[in-house]
Amino acid sequence: WHRLMLSVTMAMGVGSMIFHGTLRYWAQLLDELPLYAMAVLAAATLRQRASRAPGVQPLAAAWSAFIAAGLLLSERDSDVHVSFRGLMTVTFSVAFVYIFTAGSVAGEEVDAARGGGDGATLFRLTFV
């Protein structure tokens, strides 16, 4: 899954470059979809870490591919496209909140293991 995440990172760079160079809607999707996939995969990876149970990443990858296919294969003004954008927005927001929550918990676990108290605080301060 690390290779997939590295590939998504490369796609983020290429998609962002194309979008910001053209400012076209199809290029905006090339910019947004890798960001979405990375957020969902990162949340799945943190969920797997928290539950210590494998198998979450394939579901996250399949879901990201489903959202991408729905957006790329539908007309921009169609109800299907609008519905998929709504699904993407809501699930991205949930993944984003989960990433920060799980990151804070992981920081507290590191603090407890080290006997210190700065890991979780430093994690939270990086977003201020």
Side-chain angles (χ1 to χ4, degrees), residues 16-85:
S16 183
M17 181 181 66
I18 292 171
F19 170 59
H20 292 283
T22 64
L23 296 179
R24 302 283 185 223
Y25 183 71
W26 61 268
Q28 180 180 345
L29 290 177
L30 292 179
D31 184 33
E32 291 176 353
L33 290 172
L35 293 168
Y36 174 75
M38 181 59 77
V40 172
L41 286 168
T45 300
L46 288 169
R47 177 69 186 134
Q48 179 179 342
R49 179 189 178 279
S51 67
R52 308 232 185 328
V56 181
Q57 287 95 343
L59 295 173
W63 177 257
S64 295
F66 173 70
I67 293 292
L71 288 170
L72 294 171
L73 298 175
S74 62
E75 293 293 325
R76 181 179 180 183
D77 297 325
S78 71
D79 290 339
V80 171
H81 192 86
V82 171
S83 297
F84 272 92
R85 286 217 46 106

Side-chain angles (χ1 to χ4, degrees), residues 3 5-15 34 38:
R3 288 184 181 167
M5 292 177 84
L6 287 173
S7 297
V8 169
T9 302
M10 288 187 293
M12 279 193 293
V14 171
M38 181 59 77

Side-chain angles (χ1 to χ4, degrees), residues 89-113:
T89 301
V90 170
T91 53
F92 177 84
S93 299
V94 169
F96 201 69
V97 168
Y98 184 78
I99 289 167
F100 289 120
T101 303
S104 180
V105 169
E108 290 170 358
E109 289 173 2
V110 168
D111 285 345

